[in-house]
Amino acid sequence: MTENISEGDLMQWQNSSADNFVESLKRINGNFENYHEFGHVDIDTRRRILSIFCERFQESSVIRQQILHFLRILARDRQNLDHLLSSSLVQDVLNVAFLAEQSFEFDWEAFTQAEMCLINILFNSNLARNEFNDIASNLLLNRIRILSETSGISFMRRVVPVTVQDIAISTKSKIPEFPVKNLNNEQIDLVTFYDLRIAFVASAQSKDLQLRWLKNGCEVFLKVLERGLCFPERLRRNSQWKNFVEHTNWALKVLFNLFCYSWDDSVEPNAKQCMVLCSRIVTIKNIDPSLEQSAVDVIAVLPLSFELLTPKLQYIEQKDTNVIHDGRDMTFADAVLHALERRLEAESSERNELLGTFLTVLIRLSSQVKEARRYLRLLVIPPLHATDVERRPDDGAELRNRMIRLMMSISNTQDLVAEFIFILCKKSVNRFVKYCGFGHAAGLLANRGILNALNTSKHQSDSEASETEDYKAVETQVNPVTGCIEPAGENPFTGMTEEQKEYEVHRLMNDINKLMNQGLITPGRVGKDGQLEPVKHVLELVKDDDAEPDKSDSEDGVGS
């Protein structure tokens, strides 16, 4: 049970010496450190704590450090957080973090507590977000730019004023200098890490800030990507350069926030640069999976033509590492598909939820670039062989099998993977059913209202480059519902007379009719518009029978 803050604690905080106040607050912080919910600290107590903190915040750096530590811990819980904050206290936090016009004397411990505190209060407090957007957003952008350029380059260490070289700051007041010269490389990397996380949290919560940074600030995060791509070997899986991976990853997450929720035609050049940089990250051999995921997430939300990602050969310098198909560079398409395949191999339902952006990118590639569709089709649904239909389409370790299993999963990606395969089939219903089986394909066909397309004759293109001679030899044996050759089983009608068969059919129809009348089942059929529609009588399930049921039929049966 979390220790509560007693009346005695509050009285001591208000009247005790600085040393006693620090010791008491340090004890409370230690008790609260491992908790994330603080509903037991009531509103009245929070207001009294706020009053005490505002009075004592100016006394010393040690006191500020413990107050910031306390705020950081309680800011994990959104409930009643704004009763613990005020505009002046949030501004004090920004001052300690050197993100305001005024600042306290620099103290590394207090500064890092302020940075961590900002991450939490920006996530959970509207008051803190409003103060940050008004006071600190542009200052943060400039510091990220300066630190990302300075990080790891010892000869550049100096006192760096937060200038207005790239970002226009709407204030004429003197901006405090951030003492980069007092920090070592490890500390500079840590400040950059915290600042990028602050930028991510702030940009995730404010549409106004998203649009503002999109128009005037996007370049800062693109420069972080460029810096990371200068050393691609540092961005690989299990890299020892964790700071490079983290900085690049958080910059990607900020860019996702900016482009996902806001857009302005004036930023199209930056968006194109962002798409190119992200595609370069994805195509790095053995790239860190988190960077790969974040880069694909950004590309998925960019409202640009994907032809930029599959340039024609006359526009690029061909390299041995490039994947070429139909006169276009398919290196990016190949990298995204193999990244998806690696994730599918894990067979994890939790990870499946993260595959949506990979599938979105592949869908847009296949839809916009026909050469990409042809290339991806060869990898995902290559021409069928007789051995492929010896088992169900969802059974096996091939990419097609894994994708069809994903179609059947309960996740937000099942519709996307069905859409992707349907596009690879050139939206041919017959080809889609051939590769997936009608049982797996029915969901997408029903949603699109094209179930009636099953009755249309095949076009020559439906089989173009999608069949082999050995498949054609067994094609007639394939069950279209399951998509495979069913093992021969005993015919249940063997040995029955025609009268016995007719009796069994009538009995089955009567059983279905009773279940319908009891409301236990609602059979359906494909309507003329291609949509599923419920039937009112069991006889409507008879193929090509559009007639109304005979009124002489008994209510409980279908015949005498």
Side-chain angles (χ1 to χ4, degrees):
M1 181 68 182
T2 314
E3 177 184 350
N4 206 347
I5 300 173
S6 66
E7 178 68 23
D9 290 325
L10 295 176
M11 294 297 295
Q12 183 183 23
W13 291 0
Q14 192 166 11
N15 302 315
S16 65
S17 65
D19 290 342
N20 290 337
F21 174 65
V22 168
E23 287 302 316
S24 177
L25 194 52
K26 187 181 294 186
R27 173 179 58 81
I28 295 293
N29 289 340
N31 291 332
F32 284 4
E33 186 68 59
N34 296 323
Y35 294 90
H36 291 80
E37 294 182 358
F38 303 96
H40 63 282
V41 183
D42 59 46
I43 293 176
D44 182 63
T45 301
R46 289 170 183 262
R47 288 172 176 166
R48 293 180 64 185
I49 292 172
L50 170 62
S51 176
I52 295 169
F53 283 179
C54 288
E55 289 179 7
R56 308 207 65 163
F57 199 87
Q58 312 292 328
E59 291 184 21
S60 71
S61 179
V62 177
I63 286 179
R64 287 192 286 274
Q65 181 181 333
Q66 292 304 319
I67 289 176
L68 290 166
H69 190 181
F70 180 89
L71 292 176
R72 173 174 67 85
I73 294 172
L74 264 71
R76 296 168 183 167
D77 188 355
R78 185 188 303 268
Q79 183 180 358
N80 296 325
L81 176 59
D82 281 346
H83 293 289
L84 193 62
L85 300 172
S86 67
S87 294
S88 61
L89 185 58
V90 173
Q91 289 175 25
D92 283 337
V93 176
L94 294 172
N95 288 338
V96 178
F98 275 65
L99 290 173
E101 297 175 17
Q102 306 297 324
S103 63
F104 295 97
E105 182 180 356
F106 183 79
D107 176 84
W108 173 251
E109 295 299 330
F111 172 81
T112 54
Q113 285 294 338
E115 291 275 271
M116 291 187 287
C117 179
L118 274 175
I119 294 169
N120 286 357
I121 65 175
L122 288 175
F123 186 75
N124 284 321
S125 168
N126 284 323
L127 172 65
R129 286 193 289 270
N130 292 335
E131 291 294 329
F132 174 87
N133 293 349
D134 292 340
I135 298 172
S137 58
N138 286 338
L139 295 173
L140 180 71
L141 287 181
N142 275 282
R143 191 163 76 192
I144 291 172
R145 175 182 57 79
I146 293 167
L147 291 174
S148 64
E149 293 172 353
T150 306
S151 178
I153 307 176
S154 58
F155 64 82
M156 289 183 62
R157 270 192 247 140
R158 51 190 171 86
V159 176
V160 183
V162 183
T163 64
V164 295
Q165 179 178 343
D166 289 339
I167 309 300
I169 300 177
S170 58
T171 178
K172 297 181 180 179
S173 303
K174 185 178 184 297
I175 305 301
E177 295 179 346
F178 185 71
V180 179
K181 71 173 184 179
N182 296 335
L183 306 181
N184 57 39
N185 287 341
E186 184 178 347
Q187 289 174 321
I188 292 174
D189 287 338
L190 185 60
V191 176
T192 306
F193 170 70
Y194 284 145
D195 282 356
L196 286 167
R197 287 188 64 189
I198 292 170
F200 167 73
V201 174
S203 61
Q205 303 276 2
S206 170
K207 289 188 176 181
D208 176 68
L209 187 64
Q210 290 161 7
L211 186 58
R212 198 193 321 162
W213 278 3
L214 187 66
K215 293 180 178 179
N216 188 25
C218 180
E219 299 88 347
V220 171
F221 305 104
L222 294 177
K223 286 181 179 179
V224 176
L225 300 191
E226 288 178 340
R227 176 176 173 269
L229 285 167
C230 288
F231 306 94
E233 69 282 356
R234 299 181 181 182
L235 302 179
R236 290 176 179 162
R237 185 192 302 265
N238 300 323
S239 169
Q240 295 182 352
W241 296 82
K242 295 297 183 184
N243 59 311
F244 258 71
V245 174
E246 289 173 342
H247 295 174
T248 306
N249 200 15
W250 284 108
L252 286 167
K253 291 176 183 291
V254 175
L255 289 167
F256 175 85
N257 288 342
L258 302 188
F259 286 109
C260 183
Y261 304 109
S262 303
W263 179 253
D264 188 275
D265 290 340
S266 64
V267 303
E268 185 171 339
N270 282 340
K272 288 182 177 179
Q273 183 187 6
C274 181
M275 177 177 274
V276 171
L277 293 174
C278 288
S279 67
R280 287 175 57 191
I281 290 173
V282 173
T283 55
I284 293 175
K285 187 176 181 180
N286 201 27
I287 184 67
D288 183 271
S290 63
L291 288 180
E292 188 176 55
Q293 177 78 55
S294 297
V296 171
D297 290 348
V298 175
I299 293 173
V301 299
L302 292 173
L304 301 173
S305 170
F306 273 40
E307 289 195 14
L308 186 65
L309 300 173
T310 55
K312 293 184 178 180
L313 291 185
Q314 61 261 38
Y315 301 132
I316 63 170
E317 179 183 351
Q318 187 172 348
K319 301 177 182 178
D320 293 338
T321 56
N322 289 9
V323 180
I324 307 300
H325 184 80
D326 279 0
R328 283 186 179 270
D329 184 356
M330 295 295 165
T331 306
F332 172 77
D334 186 77
V336 174
L337 184 65
H338 282 93
L340 175 64
E341 185 174 13
R342 287 194 301 273
R343 285 161 171 78
L344 287 174
E345 288 173 357
E347 300 281 356
S348 168
S349 57
E350 293 182 0
R351 289 189 178 184
N352 287 348
E353 299 293 335
L354 301 175
L355 301 180
T357 50
F358 287 87
L359 291 164
T360 299
V361 168
L362 291 171
I363 287 170
R364 292 177 64 184
L365 269 173
S366 303
S367 301
Q368 297 178 20
V369 186
K370 63 181 180 180
E371 294 88 352
R373 175 181 56 77
R374 292 169 182 163
Y375 175 73
L376 293 169
R377 187 187 71 192
L378 291 174
L379 298 179
V380 178
I381 50 172
L384 289 173
H385 292 270
T387 53
D388 295 325
V389 291
E390 291 177 355
R391 61 182 186 274
R392 291 166 57 94
D394 58 335
D395 182 19
E398 300 297 325
L399 182 55
R400 176 177 71 105
N401 308 134
R402 296 183 189 278
M403 285 197 169
I404 293 174
R405 283 201 291 275
L406 185 59
M407 283 173 59
M408 297 297 101
S409 67
I410 302 175
S411 68
N412 58 8
T413 56
Q414 57 181 343
D415 293 335
L416 288 172
V417 70
E419 177 76 11
F420 176 49
I421 296 176
F422 190 54
I423 290 172
L424 295 186
C425 294
K426 294 178 66 176
K427 299 187 178 180
S428 163
V429 173
N430 290 315
R431 182 182 290 183
F432 187 51
V433 170
K434 180 175 73 175
Y435 277 103
C436 301
F438 178 72
H440 298 128
L444 178 136
L445 301 180
N447 291 338
R448 283 175 166 260
I450 52 176
L451 279 169
N452 57 353
L454 289 167
N455 300 322
T456 59
S457 58
K458 286 187 178 181
H459 295 285
Q460 186 175 358
S461 62
D462 288 341
S463 299
E464 177 188 357
S466 63
E467 295 178 354
T468 57
E469 292 300 323
D470 58 324
Y471 171 78
K472 290 179 181 179
V474 299
E475 183 177 11
T476 56
Q477 304 174 40
V478 176
N479 184 331
V481 175
T482 60
C484 66
I485 300 173
E486 297 285 345
E490 182 180 353
N491 188 340
F493 294 108
T494 301
M496 286 188 181
T497 64
E498 291 301 319
E499 290 78 8
Q500 288 174 320
K501 293 178 183 178
E502 185 176 352
Y503 172 78
E504 292 296 332
V505 170
H506 276 281
R507 190 177 70 166
L508 175 61
M509 295 180 71
N510 274 317
D511 289 342
I512 294 175
N513 195 59
K514 288 178 182 179
L515 292 173
M516 290 174 62
N517 291 337
Q518 294 171 13
L520 297 177
I521 62 172
T522 305
R525 67 174 183 176
V526 181
K528 294 180 180 179
D529 59 355
Q531 299 282 353
L532 283 175
E533 59 183 22
V535 299
K536 297 179 180 179
H537 194 278
V538 68
L539 288 179
E540 294 181 61
L541 296 174
V542 179
K543 188 176 181 181
D544 298 327
D545 189 341
D546 294 325
E548 291 291 327
D550 194 325
K551 293 182 180 179
S552 64
D553 290 342
S554 64
E555 185 175 349
D556 295 327
V558 294
S560 56

